[in-house]
């Protein structure tokens, strides 16, 4: 069994343009004579590897804590995409979406869904989609892509680090932090390779 960390560092990953920079706020320090080290953090909920919920683009939509955890745990497929737009035709031809309920797009941070491919994902029965880009859409149509997916209650993992991941099948664990009433949450995402052995299968 091989565990691959596909999470970006909360304070080393560049933030999305316009989002605030995060920081660590030291409260206590042993070297300063305190009894323990104690820090608080400030971060945008969309920094580094995080999961978008419907409320992000849909007024009155579900918050991140309303998603069942089994969406974020299970078989997934990592697929490679060229940089730039992913059309519906390309997605239908290149990605066997219907073969797996969770799909992660490896595009070196440069691939993004178009409206046609977003609706293809919705129609194909995918329950979760992720990307190594900062956002699942491009800057011009980001709201359209998000609304298409989030209206179908498909959580979106953004900011994955798939640089050391080969395309193929894995077991995904990417539970969001439990933060009630908000539109997104950071997550620590991992892939488990050769997970059939981990689940007890000897085949």
């Amino acid at each position: 069994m091989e565990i691959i960390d596909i999470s970006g560092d909360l304070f080393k990953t560049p933030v999305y343009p316009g989002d605030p920079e995060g920081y660590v706020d030291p409260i206590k320090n042993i070297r300063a004579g305190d009894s323990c080290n104690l820090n608080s953090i400030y971060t945008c909920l969309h920094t580094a590897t995080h999961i978008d919920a419907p409320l992000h683009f849909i007024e009155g939509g579900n918050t991140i804590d309303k998603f069942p955890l089994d969406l974020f745990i299970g078989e997934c497929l990592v697929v490679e995409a060229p940089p730039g737009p992913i059309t519906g035709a390309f997605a239908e031809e290149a990605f066997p979406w219907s073969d797996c309920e969770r799909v992660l797009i490896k595009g070196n941070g440069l691939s993004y869904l178009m409206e046609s491919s977003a609706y293809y994902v919705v129609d194909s029965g995918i329950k979760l989609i992720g990307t190594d880009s900062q956002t699942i859409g491009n800057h011009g149509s980001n709201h359209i892509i998000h609304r298409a997916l989030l209206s179908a209650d498909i959580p979106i993992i953004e900011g994955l680090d798939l640089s050391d991941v080969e395309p193929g099948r894995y077991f995904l664990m990417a539970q969001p932090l439990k933060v009630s009433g908000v539109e997104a949450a950071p997550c620590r995402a991992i892939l488990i390779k050769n997970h059939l052995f981990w689940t007890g299968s000897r085949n």
Side-chain angles (χ1 to χ4, degrees), residues 23-74:
Y23 59 87
V24 176
D25 184 16
I27 299 172
K28 293 184 179 182
N29 191 304
I30 294 174
R31 290 184 178 179
D34 295 318
S35 60
C36 65
N37 292 314
L38 183 66
N39 296 286
S40 64
I41 64 171
Y42 172 81
T43 181
C44 174
L45 293 175
H46 300 267
T47 298
T49 307
H50 64 278
I51 302 173
D52 288 349
L55 184 63
H56 185 30
F57 275 89
I58 301 170
E59 183 62 30
N62 275 337
T63 54
I64 193 68
D65 54 300
K66 300 299 183 183
F67 278 129
L69 287 178
D70 59 6
L71 285 176
F72 309 102
I73 304 170

Side-chain angles (χ1 to χ4, degrees), residues 131-172:
T131 177
D132 60 3
S133 298
Q134 284 186 312
T135 183
I136 195 72
N138 67 356
H139 297 296
S141 61
N142 215 5
H143 63 292
I144 298 174
I145 306 305
H146 275 82
R147 284 174 184 164
L149 297 168
L150 296 174
S151 293
D153 277 334
I154 298 174
I156 305 166
I157 308 178
E158 296 174 325
L160 292 165
D161 180 2
L162 298 175
S163 55
D164 295 326
V165 179
E166 295 295 325
R169 292 183 174 275
Y170 297 86
F171 191 91
L172 172 70

Side-chain angles (χ1 to χ4, degrees), residues 167-191:
R169 292 183 174 275
Y170 297 86
F171 191 91
L172 172 70
M173 299 183 72
Q175 302 94 308
L177 290 181
K178 191 172 184 178
V179 188
S180 298
V182 296
E183 83 291 348
C187 75
R188 182 70 180 267
I190 66 167
L191 293 176

